[in-house]
Amino acid sequence: MDGDYFGWNLLLRTIAHDVQSDFDILVAVVHWYMTRKGFSCLGIGCDNIYVDTDKGSELLPDDWNAQGDVYRLRYVRDGELFILTAVKKEEMVALFNLIIMKNMDVKNVEFKVEDTVRGRTGSLTEVLNDAPNVLKKIDEKLLISQAEQDSWKAKEKARRERHDLDDEQSSPLEVRGFDVHRRFPENPFSVGRGDLDPLGRLGGGMLFPSPDMPFAGGIPDPGFGIPGGLPRGAVPPGARFDPFAPQPTNPLRGPGGGRPRGGSPDNDHFPPPGYNDMFM
């Protein structure tokens, strides 16, 4: 059966002079089993920064059990960083937490030390009571399986792709759910904007609205200060300029007192020549 626990004897030999308690043995067992599952130890501490140049090891680092009642070890697998925390609790209970630093998910398992550890030297079956069940508990409750990690990575990839797609669609040409009753105010400063929208939802086109027409969409007419319908600023200060239309006599009517601003022609326009000649 010792063949199923390959690597344990080598690890125990490298740390034999460091082991000071049964709690240390449990930490060593968890570390060894993690390396069997593809994890590599980066050292002690809880630094959440990992770069690809960091090299992991199957061995426990120096001073791994010199951290008091709380041990913290850093691991990496497939480019993802993990923090293992081992805590000595009352009544000789050992609590292990494994944090996935990418999404801060936490898995944990605990053991009653005196019921789990039977010795500090020898093979794994000589060190642990019911070694198969101890490892099964570590596997099911603490470790992130490769299938779980692959599934999580697939979900992350899909989420990033959706985010990238949203970014690509946040343009004037995006085609997403649109309220057909929604209207954008038409004003002279958005001329041509509608040509960017194949659905025509922005309205308008390249036709500049007549200067004597009120703005649509509830925006008040800012007023046009030059006779003939030119906006303010169209004629430089001090320039000689002859208006090409008479000034309105009625503020509610257009140039020359004709049709109201923005309205249709009224009934007081001049009749055509010979209007009263029945022989025309």
Side-chain angles (χ1 to χ4, degrees), residues 146-164:
Q146 191 63 54
E148 283 181 287
Q149 190 168 349
D150 291 344
S151 174
W152 174 74
K153 283 188 174 183
K155 291 178 181 179
E156 273 293 295
K157 181 180 180 181
R159 184 192 66 79
R160 287 195 299 269
E161 289 176 350
R162 287 196 303 269
H163 178 73
D164 292 342

Side-chain angles (χ1 to χ4, degrees), residues 165-181:
L165 182 60
D166 289 343
D167 288 345
E168 291 175 3
Q169 290 185 345
S170 61
S171 70
L173 295 177
E174 63 181 328
V175 180
R176 284 190 281 182
F178 180 75
D179 184 358
V180 296
H181 301 292

Side-chain angles (χ1 to χ4, degrees), residues 49-50 53 69 81 88 121 138 159 171 186 194 198 217 258:
I49 298 176
Y50 165 72
T53 55
D69 291 338
L81 180 65
K88 295 178 183 178
T121 60
I138 294 173
R159 184 192 66 79
S171 70
E186 298 174 4

Side-chain angles (χ1 to χ4, degrees), residues 25-48:
I25 285 293
L26 266 180
V27 173
V29 168
V30 171
H31 165 84
W32 165 80
Y33 195 63
M34 288 180 66
T35 60
R36 285 276 304 253
K37 294 296 182 176
F39 292 85
S40 295
C41 187
L42 296 174
I44 63 175
C46 54
D47 186 358
N48 62 358

